[in-house]
Amino acid sequence: MPSLSRVEATARGALITVESYQVDLDLTGDAERFRSTVTIRFRATPGAETFAEVKPHRLLGVRLNDRDLDPALLDDNRLPLTGLAASNTLTVSAEMAYSNTGEGVHRFVDPADGETYLYAMSFLDDVQRIFAAFDQPDLKAPVTLAVTAPPEWTVAANGQLADRPAPGRWEFAPTAPLATYFVTLIAGPWHVRKDEHDGIPLALYCRKSLAAHLDADAEEIFTVTKKCLDRFHQLFAERYPFGKYDQAFVPEFNAGAMENPGLVTLRDDYVFRSAVTDTQRELRATTIAHEMAHMWFGDLVTMRWWDDLWLNESFAEYLGTRVTAEATRFTQAWTTFAMRRKAWGYAADQRPSTHPVAPEEVADAAQALLNFDGISYVKGASVLRQLVAWVGDEPFLAGLNAHFAKHRFGNATLADLLESLSAASGRELADWAERWLRRPQVNTLRMETAVDADGRWAEAAVVQTAPEAYPVLRPHRIGVARHAPDAPAHLFEVDLDPAADRGRTVLAELIGQPAIGLLLPNAGDLTFAKIRLDPASADAVPMVLPGLADPLARALLWGEALDAATDGERPVTSLVSLIAAALPAETEVIIAEDVLSLSRNLVDRYLDPLSRDAALLRIAGACATLLAGAPAGGSLQLAAARGLIEATTDTRLLAGWLAGEDVPEGLAVDADLRWALLHRLVVLGAAGEPEIAAEAAADRSATGAERAASCRAALPDAEAKRAAWEIVTSNTDLSNRLVEATAEGFWQPEQAELTAGYVERYFADMPAAARLRTPWTADRVATLAFPRYAVAQPTRELAAALLARDDLTPGLRRRVVDLDDDLRRALIARTAVAAAGA
Ligand SMILES: [Zn+2]
């Protein structure tokens, strides 16, 4: 399928204006296909030629004005349209295929009760799998949808329901102008909860088999939704512009959620069926706020082309986090941002595939999908936070409001936004934008100190550096904090001048002061930069960290320790020592969770098997201590238990918990925890297919099926590995989720010998496997199935040979380039640690 290019979109955008879409879908057919008819009214330069896009199973009819066109004219996904009049009507009817990959109209049969559910996902250019369209973000038009469905079903869409003239017939009112990638609907025997707030009708949808779990949390979800709406209405002059606000929790969704105006779709893993930590509840709240932010940023004002994708995602990430922290009970959302989200952003920005937050030009829609990464979301959001620190909050919001007023229901570019922000703040932002938005890669802010004979700081400075390949320093407004045991934190702000001699900014405030405690750069986390402590401060971390009251400061210190270990500047074993010393005192759930998961990645990839065993033993010990001290039934207890399950090799303890023996008081061994226990037992060779089959029989949910698939792939057994690899590389009958779960279970550090032969198989099989799948699933599979634990030069040589081929999909190429770079860094770190130990 040719992907629409920027040049083509610009040309078509100049030629036509779309006035309306009238869409009629018939969902009463078989399990394979549905019927789609669309009538598009559009104006054009008379005599001009252009094309519409559609990806049908079978094209049934095309009528342009008073002419029937031959369906055979369809060239791949493009329908040529010639001899246009000033005012045109195009009608296209087709048989369309359902998907099992979360794209177009996804069809799902719930294993719990056999019920069928459908939902539509148009992003990024998949509206073409639902109806024919001019599929580019700046050809916005009202959409009027009608659906014929089985009579017992419920249907919802972007627009308000206008009429139900007959059983199974659903007719919706015209929407406000929508970009084509926002069109959605859900259809099936959905469970519904309704509410209302400030004149805005609210609804929640989920599968019937999840109804009890949604009902248990409906109040929390509605409360978050209402508080976020109120906060956005305080921040923005324009009220929520799309009438009703529905949120549908849908099965096997690829992303966290999608910001369809009037009907947000969210992955139904957010309907919790087992005990979860408060971090998971916070993530659900942040996702709700993120999608709501899109209603203004993305939906009301849409990017002109995909190169301004960051305008959507960076703003939604920034405002989603901010509004969650300001308006909901999850007041520590910025700590989660610092700990979890920024780790994703820093990793993406240091990879070979790094790109500017705002790339000058994204050639086509397929290329745009590759930019959905930690840069477009997290770095962009972090840069916006830095912008707010730089120009002030009031001018920032005034600029945004001017931007909305000017471009409402239209499209805009980065230049348009900068113009509004410059006007509101009175600041010239061109140089700032050039350094922050147009240049890739991350700066490092390193503290340098020297102490005089009286124990006072003779020198204290922040030194800003940049990687050799991207030598750009930036203006940073940062906080610097001094943390000493038994003393209140001392915090001050300082501006780092990109033109400063050797990137060095002296902290005059500290010179001559008693050199006590630990100095933390980027305190408050206002900027996007790697940080490094001065040696004395680094030495003080194990002592200071456990007593530090501010969770954000602790998150930054943990982040520094993790990053230094990732870069091989400090051995992973010293990170493990820090975990042993400080984790048992941790009270913030997100910090405990992410220290465990991020360090585990290093332990599994940077350490040889013997050192790894020793490290896991120490981590399991720290988890056990944390568990023993955690309040019964709370999030910290659950986080500690999960950490212990993942790290321990004590199969008697694991099997005991699974049998309900010696379970810590308050810890619920529910469906999800049972699967975690079983998964670990399977990896350790202490449970097999009979146990998996028994667990799956007891848990017939969709989640149960995914967990079972992951467990089966993790079995330390040659036949199980063969079957799993077959699924990963060639099965398209299973849904996106089941394939991904299989890929997720395949590689285990404990099974290096058993899976050694599959290292080579990855590089041999993946090019064809990637072509077999649609981009999103192909990308997930390429990532999860990569032999990430085979940290060795021969793996890199296989990667190099693969990358020398010219027949790779762009998605696979990008993924292998990055994952190979992870191997490179791991190898360097291993060498450095070996040298330090020798
Ligand atoms: Zn988003």
Side-chain angles (χ1 to χ4, degrees), residues 257 259 290-291 294 312-313 316 377:
E259 66 269 22
H290 174 114
E291 304 312 322
H294 273 310
N312 277 8
E313 295 311 338
Y377 284 74

Side-chain angles (χ1 to χ4, degrees), residues 11 55 58 63 77 178 261 322 464 487 639 671 689 713 780 792:
K55 299 173 183 169
R58 191 157 65 98
R63 190 171 172 83
N77 66 330
L178 300 186
R322 172 174 171 170
Q464 180 184 182
E689 174 57 33
R780 293 285 299 152

